[in-house]
Amino acid sequence: MSFKVAIVGATGNVGREMLDILAERAFPVSEVVALASSRSIGTEVSFGDRTLKCKSLEHYDFSDTDICLMSAGGEISKVWSPKIGQQGCVVIDNSSAWRMHPDVPLIVPEVNAAAVAGFAKMNIIANPNCSTAQLVVALKPLHDKYGVKRVVVSTYQSVSGAGKEGMDELFNQTRAVFSAGEVVTKKFPARISFNLIPQIDVFMEDGFTKEEWKMMVETKKILDPKIKLTATCVRVPVFIGHSESVNIECEKPVTADEAREVLRAAPGILVIDKHEPGGYITPHEAAGEDATYISRIREDATVENGLAFWCVSDNLRKGAALNAVQIAEVLINRKLIQPRQKAA
């Protein structure tokens, strides 16, 4: 069986990554269609050894398309995802638009694949926030074994999480610093080159940012509503790869050695944890890789059954494009969708 797949937002960072991953994983496609806004009609994108020309989302008929990978932002998704779903095409959306909707499953396949069956209510499945995705992959095996009660996480998020504009701003500001030019700030609320910004997304009334709120509520929806989580999200001058310092408190006693073995056996995780210089993962090594990497596993004696670790993943892949493709694979492997014939 092969499926017709549309990529909405095919010219963006995540859209291009989706195309690459579909080709890399030999996803069973009969046809891949690249879609974008009307101003990008004719723009060429790569799919394996082929080149696709972008078509207009506004004029595309989804009636014979099986899966739509949506990576065009929340506002576009709010308008288009229900329309596409009503045409019988399953939308896997990368934005925040549908994540907390009660009739839309929020899925990380290594964590809650079974929940994908709820997609039929609206034909929409949500991808979590990039920083949430890698966190819950790491928490799931520990929660199953030891019962995670509380999580304190600080993130070190790359500029690619803010799209191509974010990557361009870091590049241009860095070049300006070395050439004694003017450092221009547009995309971020403060200079990002040689700096850190303790704000991602807008501030909420309680002082947390929306990015921090997303991690709190999404972890509860995906993993367990009883887990208490607090987050501090920081933008760092790294192009690709989100890193997280994670501190957890468990219901049952856990040692670092036990946690290491549990994590090593879990799907989607690679443990790199040697007590020596370089015996850990950094975002540079994680870029372009599919795994969620865990390092620096150690016991935290300041709380009962406490554990601390370092978690790194490519935010464009596991945090976005790879997770979306994996969701599509779950739909197919569980025979939840069948290829459609073109409507008469």
Side-chain angles (χ1 to χ4, degrees):
M1 289 192 297
S2 55
F3 297 79
K4 186 173 181 180
V5 179
I7 312 287
V8 177
T11 60
N13 282 347
V14 174
R16 291 175 188 270
E17 202 75 38
M18 286 173 169
L19 288 163
D20 288 345
I21 290 170
L22 286 171
E24 286 173 18
R25 294 172 76 88
F27 191 89
V29 295
S30 57
E31 183 181 353
V32 176
V33 182
L35 300 175
S37 63
S38 55
R39 67 177 180 272
S40 295
I41 293 175
T43 300
E44 294 185 344
V45 292
S46 296
F47 171 61
D49 56 3
R50 286 181 277 167
T51 300
L52 308 178
K53 288 192 175 182
C54 287
K55 299 179 181 180
S56 169
L57 168 63
E58 289 84 352
H59 302 109
Y60 184 72
D61 179 6
F62 285 89
S63 62
D64 68 341
T65 302
D66 300 299
I67 299 167
C68 171
L69 302 181
M70 173 77 70
S71 186
E75 294 308 310
I76 291 173
S77 181
K78 284 176 187 175
V79 173
W80 282 95
S81 291
K83 294 180 181 178
I84 297 168
Q86 287 164 9
Q87 293 186 57
C89 177
V90 181
V91 179
I92 302 172
D93 180 43
N94 193 56
S95 79
S96 62
W98 300 98
R99 291 175 188 157
M100 300 312 297
H101 193 288
D103 292 333
V104 175
L106 179 63
I107 301 296
V108 176
E110 297 93 334
V111 179
N112 65 336
V116 80
F119 81 93
K121 292 179 181 177
M122 293 184 67
N123 268 356
I124 301 172
I125 303 168
N127 231 18
N129 187 38
C130 46
S131 51
T132 304
Q134 68 189 69
L135 177 65
V136 295
V137 168
L139 292 180
K140 167 68 173 173
L142 297 171
H143 185 54
D144 286 350
K145 183 85 172 177
Y146 305 107
V148 175
K149 294 196 301 183
R150 180 172 181 259
V151 182
V152 180
V153 56
S154 297
T155 72
Y156 306 76
Q157 295 179 227
S158 67
V159 293
S160 56
K164 184 178 181 298
E165 292 176 349
M167 298 178 79
D168 288 345
E169 186 149 312
L170 173 58
F171 178 83
N172 291 332
Q173 287 184 359
T174 303
R175 184 172 57 184
V177 169
F178 282 110
S179 63
E182 181 185 2
V183 175
V184 178
T185 297
K186 292 181 181 177
K187 181 66 178 176
F188 298 115
R191 166 178 155 169
I192 185 61
S193 65
F194 303 96
N195 199 19
L196 306 174
I197 305 173
Q199 177 198 348
I200 300 178
D201 213 324
V202 297
F203 278 97
M204 304 180 75
E205 287 186 7
D206 60 3
F208 284 90
T209 64
K210 195 169 183 182
E211 185 84 355
E212 293 156 354
W213 173 82
K214 290 174 193 173
M215 293 192 74
M216 297 175 200
V217 296
E218 290 173 18
T219 299
K220 289 175 179 287
K221 182 172 179 177
I222 296 167
L223 193 55
D224 188 337
K226 296 191 294 292
I227 290 178
K228 296 178 179 179
L229 186 145
T230 185
T232 301
C233 293
V234 183
R235 188 74 72 190
V236 298
V238 170
F239 282 108
I240 295 173
H242 287 358
S243 305
E244 297 173 351
S245 171
V246 186
N247 184 285
I248 65 173
E249 185 178 352
C250 300
E251 293 172 356
K252 300 175 184 177
V254 53
T255 68
D257 287 340
E258 290 169 346
R260 211 171 277 116
E261 292 310 307
V262 167
L263 290 166
R264 280 202 175 103
I269 291 174
L270 284 176
V271 175
I272 298 178
D273 191 17
K274 296 180 179 179
H275 300 169
E276 60 186 47
Y280 40 78
I281 197 74
T282 72
H284 176 72
E285 290 93 41
E289 301 294 329
D290 289 346
T292 296
Y293 291 91
I294 309 293
S295 305
R296 302 292 320 281
I297 303 165
R298 58 211 187 273
E299 293 154 36
D300 177 8
T302 66
V303 293
E304 191 173 6
N305 307 328
L307 200 70
F309 60 88
W310 176 248
C311 175
V312 183
S313 193
D314 183 327
N315 56 294
L316 298 180
R317 293 181 74 90
K318 185 56 195 170
L322 173 65
N323 199 72
V325 174
Q326 287 176 313
I327 292 170
E329 291 171 345
V330 170
L331 290 173
I332 294 169
N333 293 339
R334 294 182 177 231
K335 297 180 170 55
L336 296 171
I337 60 171
Q338 300 290 328
R340 300 196 298 165
Q341 299 297 318
K342 185 171 176 63

